[in-house]
Amino acid sequence: MKEIIFDKQMYESYKDFYVQIYKDLDGKSFGDWKAYENLNYNADMLDEFLWYNNDKNIKYVFINFDLEIIKQEKTFDDYKWRIIFDVIQDFVKQYPNNTMEIINKKSS
């Protein structure tokens, strides 16, 4: 099973996630997605893009994401992250050959 790791400490905003997932899932290899290197930072496009990759058996690993804080939606970034997590969680439920894991590490 391939792992794709998303570490929040490496991101300035949720937009960096969209760029990374497109790159890690080789979006340019899909004719329909060649012009969407950031998926337009849109959760609907993320959902459809994941569908194109539903057969790849991927473990999506999120590091340093505090879902309790994100769910409070105190910032616009939290709001966007909550939507991203909703999409990923629904995706792995629908396609159980893909999984999601959240790992929270203490900052040193």
Side-chain angles (χ1 to χ4, degrees):
M1 176 172 277
K2 176 180 177 178
E3 282 189 3
I4 299 177
I5 298 173
F6 307 98
D7 187 342
K8 190 163 195 247
Q9 292 179 345
M10 305 300 291
Y11 298 147
E12 289 184 33
S13 80
Y14 71 92
K15 291 180 178 184
D16 297 322
F17 164 82
Y18 283 101
V19 172
Q20 180 185 346
I21 197 162
Y22 179 88
K23 181 181 172 189
D24 288 350
L25 293 176
D26 194 21
K28 288 186 179 200
S29 69
F30 301 104
D32 295 344
W33 294 98
K34 285 185 180 182
Y36 299 101
E37 291 181 0
N38 57 22
L39 303 177
N40 289 344
Y41 310 116
N42 182 288
D44 289 332
M45 290 187 79
L46 171 63
D47 188 42
E48 187 174 344
F49 182 66
L50 290 173
W51 179 82
Y52 273 74
N53 293 279
N54 72 61
D55 61 344
K56 291 188 176 176
N57 303 321
I58 297 172
K59 181 177 184 178
Y60 299 93
V61 180
F62 293 87
I63 299 174
N64 298 312
F65 288 88
D66 188 333
L67 288 184
E68 294 305 315
I69 291 173
I70 290 170
K71 287 179 184 178
Q72 293 174 23
E73 295 183 15
K74 290 184 179 181
T75 67
F76 183 71
D77 224 46
D78 288 345
Y79 165 73
K80 295 300 247 179
W81 277 116
R82 192 218 15 103
I83 294 171
I84 289 168
F85 278 107
D86 288 348
V87 169
I88 300 283
Q89 287 171 336
D90 288 346
F91 174 74
V92 298
K93 284 180 188 172
Q94 188 172 6
Y95 300 99
N97 57 307
N98 297 281
T99 62
M100 180 177 114
E101 181 178 0
I102 299 172
I103 301 169
N104 287 310
K105 297 179 178 179
K106 300 283 185 197
S107 298
S108 23

